[in-house]
Amino acid sequence: MKVTMSKLLKYLAAGVVRYWLMHTDYWQTISNRVEIATPLNSWKRLTEGVYLYDHDVNPYEGDAFHESPIMLIVFHFLMKKVPYLLPLIFTIIDLITAHLLYKTAKSFVAMFKDAQESAKDEVAEESKGMLLQDSDLAEVPNYVLSVYLFNPYSVLNCVGMTTTVVQNVLVTGALWSAAGSQQVLACLCLALATHQALYPVLLIVPISLLLADMKKGCNKCSYIRTLLIFVLCWGFLTYISAFIMDGSYDYLNNTYGLILTIPNLKPNIGLFWYFFTEMFEHFRLLFICAFQINALALYIIPLTLRFKKEPVLLATVLIALSTIFRSYPCVGDVGFYLALLPLWKHLFSFMQQKFIVGCAFIITSALGPTVWHLWIYSGSANANFFFGVTLSFATAQIFLITDLLFAYIKREFTLKHGTSRDIDGRPAKLVLR
């Protein structure tokens, strides 16, 4: 009963904070911050697109609106019928995301423990103290829940009423469905997230692996079936969107086209805007291809080959990498994958960069708004200052992900070979000569 009451209080406190901030004088400032709102997810652009659609003007003819037609129809209905409930709706969606993350974490930790029990005979005797305990089954999901509910990045993302809130709940729904062997629902949620933001398409690989593991089969038919269902769902959503726009597929230029070609160079916390502002035009296509290959294709094959037996870790890393290297990232994307890190609590003792990464996150989060004010309002700085902060922020995230991967490999080695390091029966030591 105490645990249940504690969870309810967390949901209530997080919901009240979000809802209260949406009704303060700071809401407009928060919703327009470059760290929170991008051309792809901005609430201001969403309302403008709905206004144009309501006045029989194609919102995709200009550069104002970049959401999918399905999102356009949904929010057109909400703004017309229940505009006063929109802050509450965004708050509830974010709380649903947190709850689904909690349920997903419970399923994943149970999977980790089952896999550990089946491989217990291969663990060195002196390393058995490092194995997951029964207490982790309750602790880890609670950590995941708390990190998402009270992470400032997640809170500000919800308060800014960005459509990243919707993307997060869809990605969480896909992971939760896959953990429960619900193949069609997982593919549908992932297709909806991909239809909105494209980069979640990377998750089809770990979700296929996860579904195959849950069904106790790793045959090719399982992978092909998952991929086929996903493609059919994605294709159907594309067709529905075209039907909404009177049979025209021109909207693709302002949705996927914006994501892939980066025509809008408004500063954000990503890496694309500065490079393409400074770049000579005749090099643009080359670097667009290079940047998008890095974000969409470069890491998926080697990471899948190395971590195919750990689809949850693979999903976590791919979500993080797509956040760092996507064309229009925001703090809501960062807050989402940070909430997945407590799943790997058993790796924290093997991570060496925790303090450095933590300090970098705090410093860059404080310096970003400061440098932005100096650049835009005071005129005492320039774009190089702000980009330096965003570059440091991206570097800290890369350190975090590489540290997590190395920690997994170290723990895997230690479980098998033990903690002692002996050579010819004597303790090993490193001697510099």
Side-chain angles (χ1 to χ4, degrees):
M1 184 64 184
K2 290 182 179 179
V3 175
T4 303
M5 186 57 67
S6 174
K7 279 173 53 184
L8 287 175
L9 288 174
K10 286 180 184 179
Y11 287 122
L12 182 61
V16 168
V17 168
R18 285 161 167 78
Y19 191 75
W20 172 70
L21 285 172
M22 289 178 188
H23 290 85
T24 63
D25 295 335
Y26 300 105
W27 175 79
Q28 196 73 36
T29 302
I30 292 171
S31 65
N32 289 327
R33 288 296 312 176
V34 294
E35 298 90 350
I36 297 166
T38 70
L40 194 63
N41 72 354
S42 167
W43 172 252
K44 184 177 180 180
R45 287 175 179 264
L46 180 60
T47 55
E48 188 169 348
V50 169
Y51 177 85
L52 293 173
Y53 181 77
D54 194 45
H55 287 76
D56 297 322
V57 178
N58 186 349
Y60 297 104
E61 286 184 351
D63 188 42
F65 184 70
H66 303 289
E67 282 291 347
S68 70
I70 294 175
M71 292 285 286
L72 175 65
I73 289 295
V74 170
F75 278 96
H76 178 265
F77 173 81
L78 293 175
M79 289 180 189
K80 287 298 171 185
K81 300 297 182 182
V82 286
Y84 51 89
L85 289 180
L86 282 167
L88 182 61
I89 289 171
F90 271 91
T91 301
I92 291 173
I93 291 174
D94 217 35
L95 294 181
I96 290 172
T97 303
H99 185 65
L100 288 179
L101 278 173
Y102 173 80
K103 303 291 278 186
T104 305
K106 285 191 73 172
S107 299
F108 285 165
V109 175
M111 286 169 49
F112 297 161
K113 198 158 189 313
D114 289 343
Q116 167 185 286
E117 291 298 323
S118 62
K120 203 167 185 178
D121 294 338
E122 300 176 10
V123 177
E125 190 64 34
E126 58 186 357
S127 298
K128 288 187 176 179
M130 297 162 41
L131 296 175
L132 290 172
Q133 306 300 318
D134 291 337
S135 59
D136 292 321
L137 295 173
E139 286 181 2
V140 171
N142 278 313
Y143 290 149
V144 170
L145 178 66
S146 299
V147 170
Y148 187 83
L149 286 177
F150 301 108
N151 186 332
Y153 297 148
S154 302
V155 173
L156 292 174
N157 179 62
C158 181
V159 172
M161 294 173 66
T162 70
T163 55
T164 303
V165 173
V166 179
Q167 180 191 327
N168 287 346
V169 76
L170 291 172
V171 172
T172 308
L175 294 174
W176 173 72
S177 303
S181 297
Q182 301 177 63
Q183 189 176 46
V184 175
L185 184 58
C187 291
L188 179 59
C189 289
L190 185 59
L192 282 165
T194 302
H195 186 63
Q196 182 189 356
L198 185 60
Y199 292 102
V201 70
L202 294 172
L203 293 180
I204 188 58
V205 175
I207 283 178
S208 298
L209 294 170
L210 186 57
L211 285 167
D213 286 350
M214 295 303 294
K215 293 184 177 182
K216 307 299 180 185
C218 295
N219 53 72
K220 294 180 180 178
C221 291
S222 176
Y223 303 138
I224 294 172
R225 187 162 53 248
T226 302
L227 180 60
L228 183 60
I229 294 172
F230 168 73
V231 171
L232 288 174
C233 290
W234 191 7
F236 179 70
L237 292 171
T238 304
Y239 172 77
I240 290 296
S241 295
F243 178 78
I244 292 170
M245 301 311 298
D246 298 324
S248 173
Y249 288 88
D250 292 342
Y251 76 90
L252 291 172
N253 187 52
N254 260 22
T255 52
Y256 296 153
L258 175 86
I259 295 169
L260 292 173
T261 62
I262 317 106
N264 190 310
L265 298 178
K266 181 180 178 180
N268 54 60
I269 63 170
L271 304 175
F272 281 65
W273 66 273
Y274 185 84
F275 280 99
F276 289 100
T277 299
E278 299 293 326
M279 189 176 298
F280 290 113
E281 190 62 29
H282 54 278
F283 289 123
R284 183 179 176 83
L285 180 60
L286 170 65
F287 280 89
I288 281 177
C289 293
F291 274 57
Q292 295 294 3
I293 288 171
N294 181 64
L296 284 166
L298 187 62
Y299 305 104
I300 191 165
I301 294 177
L303 287 174
T304 302
L305 291 175
R306 178 60 184 84
F307 300 106
K308 61 184 178 182
K309 293 183 180 179
E310 288 287 351
V312 181
L313 179 62
L314 180 60
T316 304
V317 172
L318 289 177
I319 290 171
L321 289 174
S322 68
T323 295
I324 298 167
F325 297 117
R326 67 175 58 195
S327 49
Y328 296 101
C330 69
V331 294
D333 301 313
V334 179
F336 180 76
Y337 82 76
L338 287 180
L340 297 174
L341 292 183
L343 284 171
W344 309 103
K345 173 176 166 282
H346 53 284
L347 301 182
F348 288 174
S349 60
F350 292 89
M351 296 175 68
Q352 296 180 329
Q353 310 292 340
K354 298 190 294 291
F355 179 75
I356 295 174
V357 169
C359 290
F361 268 81
I362 294 170
I363 292 169
T364 53
S365 296
L367 275 180
T370 304
V371 173
W372 176 264
H373 181 84
L374 293 175
W375 174 26
I376 300 299
Y377 297 103
S378 299
S380 55
N382 56 42
N384 296 325
F385 287 69
F386 186 72
F387 178 69
V389 173
T390 61
L391 185 61
S392 300
F393 187 57
T395 303
Q397 294 178 76
I398 293 168
F399 275 21
L400 174 62
I401 299 308
T402 53
D403 201 19
L404 181 68
L405 292 176
F406 279 124
Y408 173 81
I409 294 171
K410 291 174 191 173
R411 181 177 183 272
E412 192 178 48
F413 180 87
T414 304
L415 285 176
K416 186 175 181 180
H417 299 283
T419 55
S420 63
R421 299 291 176 262
D422 294 338
I423 297 178
D424 297 329
R426 303 172 64 183
K429 60 181 179 178
L430 184 65
V431 179
L432 299 178
R433 294 181 178 178

